[in-house]
Amino acid sequence: MVTVPAGRRFGRRTPPLGGALAYLLLNLPLGILSFTLIVTLGSAGLGTLVVWLGVPLLGLLVLFARTAGRVERGRVFALLDVYVDDPYLPLPPSGQKQRWLTRVKDPATWRDLSYLFLLFPLGLVEFVLVVTVWAVSLGLVALPIYYRFLPDGVYAFPSYDVQWFVVDSTVAALPWAALGVLFAAIAVALTKGLAALHAAFAAGFLRPTVAQRRRMERSWNELDRITVAG
C-alpha cells in the first residue's frame, strides 16, 4: 500500500531575510508573467473552442499551471525554507486521453491556476511595500554621506520649495540616520512577516488537502493493483 506523506514544514519558524527579500521581489515579475499567460491562453482557448483550435491552447494552459505550480513549490522551499508536498493525482500508465482527463479533473490543477492568477495582485502589493520601506530606511541611513552631493549641498524635506526640515551638515543628518536604522529594523520585520504570510498562503493553495490526500491514496492503490495484475 502506498501512503501519501502528511504536509510538512522544514527549517526555520521565520524565513531567512535574504530569501524572503528575493522571494517578495520576484513575485511581481513572475505574477505578471503568470497573469499574462493565463489570460492569453484562457481567453484564446475558450474563444476558439468551437473550432477545436482552443483545445490545444487550453491543454497548454493546464500544462503551464501544473509546471508553474511545481516551480513555485520549489521556489518556496529554496527561498523561504518551507516544504510543500506535491498534490497531484498519479497519471495512468498508458492512454493519452485518460492521462489528460486525469490532469483536467485533478483539483490540484485548478488550485495551482488560482494561485498563479492571484500572484500578480499579491506580488504588486508586496513589491510596493517592500521597496518603499527599504528605500526609506536606506535613504535615511545614508543621508550623512550623500546630502553634500545634492543641489547646494542641502537636503530639504519634503521639497526645496517647501522646506520643513533641512540637512546641511553631518551633525544635522545623524538624527535622520538613526531614524533610518529604526526603519531598517521595521523593514526586516516587514519583509520576514510578508514572506511568512505568503508562504502560508502558497501552502494553503499548493499543498494537497485532506480530501486530495485520500484521492491520491486511492489512486496509488488502484495503480498498484493494476501493476500486480499485469
Side-chain angles (χ1 to χ4, degrees):
M1 176 179 176
V2 177
T3 59
V4 180
R8 296 168 290 174
R9 178 188 176 101
F10 296 150
R12 318 175 190 198
R13 292 181 178 272
T14 59
L17 177 60
L21 188 59
Y23 185 85
L24 294 172
L25 293 178
L26 283 173
N27 280 346
L28 180 58
L30 293 178
I32 292 174
L33 177 62
S34 299
F35 185 87
T36 302
L37 288 175
I38 290 171
V39 171
T40 301
L41 291 175
S43 58
L46 293 174
T48 57
L49 192 60
V50 69
V51 293
W52 296 101
L53 181 61
V55 174
L57 294 177
L58 293 177
L60 284 176
L61 180 60
V62 169
L63 290 179
F64 165 73
R66 292 167 70 93
T67 302
R70 290 187 174 94
V71 171
E72 188 62 22
R73 290 181 194 91
R75 194 166 69 97
V76 170
F77 182 63
L79 296 178
L80 303 184
D81 205 16
V82 176
Y83 178 82
V84 181
D85 292 329
D86 276 345
Y88 304 116
L89 298 176
L91 298 178
S94 61
Q96 286 299 320
K97 181 179 179 181
Q98 292 302 319
R99 293 170 70 89
W100 275 103
L101 285 176
T102 300
R103 291 187 184 100
V104 172
K105 292 180 179 180
D106 193 345
T109 299
W110 305 105
R111 289 165 65 87
D112 285 353
L113 197 63
S114 300
Y115 171 83
L116 295 168
F117 185 83
L118 294 173
L119 186 59
F120 169 53
L122 285 176
L124 178 61
V125 173
E126 291 165 350
F127 187 89
V128 171
L129 288 175
V130 169
V131 169
T132 299
V133 70
W134 277 105
V136 170
S137 61
L138 295 178
L140 290 175
V141 168
L143 187 58
I145 299 173
Y146 71 82
Y147 80 89
R148 58 179 54 88
F149 301 107
L150 297 176
D152 300 325
V154 172
Y155 171 79
F157 179 85
S159 68
Y160 286 96
D161 295 327
V162 181
Q163 299 184 2
W164 294 354
F165 304 101
V166 175
V167 174
D168 55 4
S169 67
T170 302
V171 173
L174 289 178
W176 296 101
L179 182 61
V181 173
L182 175 61
F183 266 94
I186 295 173
V188 170
L190 178 66
T191 300
K192 288 189 172 185
L194 282 177
L197 287 175
H198 195 114
F201 172 78
F205 267 88
L206 300 177
R207 71 186 173 194
T209 61
V210 174
Q212 183 75 351
R213 292 184 188 281
R214 294 190 182 122
R215 293 192 194 99
M216 293 167 72
E217 286 193 12
R218 288 196 296 268
S219 297
W220 280 115
N221 290 334
E222 289 174 4
L223 287 178
D224 285 346
R225 285 196 294 270
I226 292 172
T227 301
V228 171

